[in-house]
Amino acid sequence: MDWNEIQNFLSNIVFGVLLFSMIIYWINLLFLNDKSFLSQIGRISTSLANIFLFFILCSRWIVAGYFPLSNLYESLLFLTWILLTTYLYVETKTNSRLIGAIVVPITLLISGFANLTLSPEMQKSSPLVPALQSNWLMLHVSMMLLSYGTLIMGSLLCILFLVISGYKDIDLKTNQTGALPLYNVMLEYYETKILSPSSEISEFGKMKLLQSLDNWSYRIIGLGFPFLTIGIISGGVWANEAWGSYWSWDPKETWALITWLVFATYLHARITKGWEGKKTAILGGLGFFVIWICYLGVNFLGKGLHSYGWIS
């Protein structure tokens, strides 16, 4: 068994572990009275998948001799690893295990696409084309994928805000309670909603939940935006080195700029205009779809300077 077979085998194990973890997290939503035991299983399985992904990426780096971000398959694995790592970090900071019910299914879909859709030839490491033989590969691509992972998570929390609020304008300045642990407020909300469906949902508990979602989405998007900025700037420098131009209005570059503008608008609205709640959640939710167009959508066209190792 060669390294490619070992890596593919481990990738399939990651898919299976993520599937198991997703089921655990969803059961945890339905049976919150067993939350401690189930949440530990979900955390352990997610951490195990994350360790396997880290080993796969490191082994590809060692065997191929370059940073494993040269094709679609490797970038999908890296994005999955970033999402899981970010989730585990946020879980540690917020003491939340319910976000996994949202994030793990996304990582499962990415892993499934990488392992079940892409052909074995596309999953293999291949020699770098001349334009990719640069030290900028590690900085530019890793920064872009770090931004994708963090911004996707922040956008998911924005979408969750819109769903729970019923797409209504909510005055979050009422009963301000600060940055509460997200797990506690989500637990209170879901215990009332699911375990006692006949009882009236506490409006105060719902307000605390929406305030926490709004706060943590802002924090995570604020973390991902500098990564996106560094990625775009380093990409421009690399493009000048490889192609003699800092900006060519390539489809990938254009959508990266659109993504940057969407999240720059989000942060500008929050910092200078004082927006919060529904308005910024709409911007953040829009960013979720823009990111996927930037990351995958333009590459399915098979056109432009960024089509190396992608679908054409």
Side-chain angles (χ1 to χ4, degrees):
M1 182 179 291
D2 59 18
W3 273 109
N4 285 326
E5 292 178 349
I6 294 175
Q7 291 166 358
N8 291 338
F9 176 72
L10 288 177
S11 295
N12 292 330
I13 289 180
V14 168
F15 178 81
V17 171
L18 288 176
L19 178 60
F20 171 77
S21 180
M22 182 188 71
I23 294 172
I24 291 297
Y25 279 118
W26 285 2
I27 292 176
N28 191 33
L29 283 179
L30 297 176
F31 302 101
L32 289 171
N33 58 319
D34 196 26
K35 59 185 181 296
S36 178
F37 176 70
L38 290 177
S39 63
Q40 287 298 322
I41 295 178
R43 182 184 178 89
I44 292 172
S45 59
T46 305
S47 301
L48 185 63
N50 205 36
I51 293 172
F52 283 152
L53 281 171
F54 183 75
F55 175 80
I56 293 170
L57 291 169
C58 289
S59 64
R60 290 179 77 93
W61 191 353
I62 294 172
V63 174
Y66 57 81
F67 198 61
L69 285 176
S70 63
N71 58 32
L72 177 59
Y73 178 73
E74 292 174 344
S75 71
L76 288 168
L77 293 183
F78 192 79
L79 179 61
T80 305
W81 180 71
I82 289 297
L83 277 169
L84 290 176
T85 302
T86 306
Y87 159 66
L88 290 170
Y89 173 78
V90 173
E91 180 184 84
T92 301
K93 292 296 182 181
T94 64
N95 197 31
S96 168
R97 289 165 176 79
L98 294 176
I99 303 178
I102 305 169
V103 177
V104 173
I106 299 295
T107 61
L108 178 66
L109 289 174
I110 299 173
S111 177
F113 177 72
N115 292 287
L116 304 178
T117 303
L118 299 183
S119 65
E121 289 301 319
M122 295 186 66
Q123 297 180 19
K124 293 181 180 179
S125 300
S126 58
L128 294 176
V129 297
L132 296 182
Q133 296 175 5
S134 170
N135 292 328
W136 289 104
L137 172 67
M138 181 186 297
L139 176 62
H140 169 62
V141 184
S142 62
M143 286 295 103
M144 293 302 294
L145 288 174
L146 277 169
S147 71
Y148 291 160
T150 50
L151 293 175
I152 285 172
M153 177 168 289
S155 297
L156 284 172
L157 293 181
C158 288
I159 295 174
L160 184 60
F161 179 96
L162 293 174
V163 171
I164 293 177
S165 66
Y167 202 70
K168 298 178 181 178
D169 286 313
I170 304 294
D171 184 10
L172 295 179
K173 293 184 174 61
T174 304
N175 297 324
Q176 285 284 359
T177 55
L180 298 174
L182 188 55
Y183 176 69
N184 292 339
V185 293
M186 290 187 77
L187 178 59
E188 176 184 342
Y189 180 79
Y190 279 104
E191 279 181 336
T192 309
K193 180 72 172 178
I194 297 175
L195 297 183
S196 303
S198 60
S199 63
E200 183 179 354
I201 299 174
S202 168
E203 287 299 320
F204 181 68
K206 181 178 179 180
M207 180 66 67
K208 289 193 296 181
L209 171 59
L210 292 174
Q211 286 173 349
S212 294
L213 287 173
D214 185 71
N215 179 272
W216 283 106
S217 61
Y218 174 42
R219 290 186 179 188
I220 297 171
I221 290 175
L223 173 66
F225 185 74
F227 291 145
L228 180 62
T229 304
I230 296 172
I232 292 175
I233 294 174
S234 61
V237 176
W238 186 13
N240 183 62
E241 179 185 284
W243 301 315
S245 174
Y246 287 99
W247 196 268
S248 304
W249 291 107
D250 175 76
K252 194 80 165 181
E253 295 173 347
T254 303
W255 277 98
L257 177 61
I258 294 173
T259 304
W260 188 89
L261 289 174
V262 168
F263 287 104
T265 303
Y266 173 94
L267 293 174
H268 174 75
R270 291 206 63 127
I271 295 172
T272 64
K273 300 296 184 181
W275 285 13
E276 59 182 7
K278 177 184 174 181
K279 292 181 180 179
T280 51
I282 292 174
L283 286 173
L286 174 64
F288 177 81
F289 301 100
V290 172
I291 289 173
W292 285 109
I293 295 174
C294 178
Y295 174 53
L296 286 182
V298 296
N299 293 102
F300 277 97
L301 299 176
K303 301 177 181 179
L305 298 171
H306 290 77
S307 61
Y308 296 119
W310 299 73
I311 296 176
S312 60

